[in-house]
Amino acid sequence: MSNKLDRDFYGRDTLSVAKSLLGKVLVHEINGKKLSGKIVETEAYKGIIDKAAHAYGNRRTKRTEALYGPCGFSYVFIIYGMYYCFNVVTEREGIPEGVLIRALEPLTCLEDMSLNRYAKEYSLLNKRQIENLTNGPGKLCKALLIDKSQNRKDLCKSDLYIEGNNIENISIKSSKRIGVDYAEEAADYLWRFYIKDNAYVSVK
């Protein structure tokens, strides 16, 4: 039986959710398979007040509409016209905030994830390819077959969800977010969180 995170988990302060997601498991059930990975890196985006966020200044567009909806839904967007990024919507409805899932440690269906990412069997991957399987937002989406069709999915009720797990002792580090140099003072916010010493963190 699945141990999906409930609505209340997502409906909290975005920074708290971003840290609490570390160690949880992102799951995509597709084609009879359960592709999953442990969340090892996240970034928080605080909407209206955050110059790095899509909804900064209350920018409400067709693209950002998911962020304004209920918490516990997915927000999937595309960058550079080719890479998908998976986010979870946080806070209460009308507050456009969310958490980007930046990296996973692969757990199940490694063969399928390898074929999705590299079009080759997992046993044929070298050490670098294994570490690169899901250690970035675009990489994990490709490995878990997450694309724009998974935008605005209810993470509490659909085949795309996040599971809780047994509490483990993890050491959480924080740093500046990646790729937001344009965001003036917001570029310096320490709103990226990751599990210390995990091999699958995108940027150490």
Side-chain angles (χ1 to χ4, degrees):
M1 183 175 177
S2 172
N3 183 25
K4 292 181 182 179
L5 299 180
D6 62 18
R7 198 82 60 205
D8 289 341
F9 177 93
Y10 298 106
R12 300 176 294 137
D13 170 71
T14 302
L15 296 175
S16 297
V17 176
K19 287 180 270 193
S20 298
L21 282 167
L22 295 173
K24 303 296 191 292
V25 177
L26 175 61
V27 179
H28 189 195
E29 294 184 14
I30 185 168
N31 301 327
K33 303 284 184 69
K34 184 176 177 178
L35 284 62
S36 71
K38 181 170 75 173
I39 298 170
V40 299
E41 182 181 359
T42 62
E43 285 181 348
Y45 287 87
K46 296 276 283 176
I48 294 169
I49 63 167
D50 181 0
K51 290 180 180 177
H54 289 172
Y56 171 64
N58 210 25
R59 191 164 49 230
R60 190 165 187 165
T61 65
K62 184 178 179 182
R63 181 196 197 197
T64 63
E65 191 61 33
L67 290 168
Y68 286 86
C71 65
F73 279 71
S74 63
Y75 171 47
V76 180
F77 61 87
I78 193 167
I79 56 173
Y80 312 127
M82 59 191 300
Y83 300 115
Y84 293 100
C85 293
F86 169 77
N87 304 254
V88 301
V89 178
T90 58
E91 283 282 2
R92 65 182 183 274
E93 194 165 351
I95 298 178
E97 300 188 6
V99 176
L100 170 69
I101 308 302
R102 274 201 61 88
L104 302 175
E105 178 182 321
L107 293 178
T108 61
C109 293
L110 303 187
E111 186 72 16
D112 294 88
M113 284 196 256
S114 179
L115 291 170
N116 294 338
R117 270 278 283 132
Y118 300 115
K120 61 195 295 188
E121 296 175 12
Y122 186 81
S123 61
L124 300 178
L125 303 185
N126 59 39
K127 184 174 183 290
R128 180 171 175 77
Q129 287 173 320
I130 290 171
E131 288 187 355
N132 280 326
L133 187 59
T134 50
N135 70 341
K139 297 172 186 178
L140 71 89
C141 282
K142 189 171 184 181
L144 269 68
L145 295 179
I146 297 172
D147 58 25
K148 203 61 182 288
S149 66
Q150 273 76 53
N151 188 40
R152 302 184 81 170
K153 278 284 191 86
D154 188 342
L155 303 176
C156 302
K157 296 181 178 179
S158 71
D159 53 11
L160 180 64
Y161 56 92
I162 298 174
E163 289 183 326
N165 59 349
N166 295 327
I167 296 174
E168 58 175 314
N169 283 323
I170 57 174
S171 180
I172 298 175
K173 303 281 285 182
S174 61
S175 72
K176 296 178 184 180
R177 294 171 292 182
I178 308 299
V180 297
D181 297 343
Y182 59 85
E184 300 177 2
E185 72 277 1
D188 293 325
Y189 297 165
L190 303 180
W191 289 355
R192 180 172 77 103
F193 306 101
Y194 60 94
I195 297 177
K196 181 183 178 183
D197 298 329
N198 188 281
Y200 289 92
V201 172
S202 67
V203 179
K204 308 298 191 286

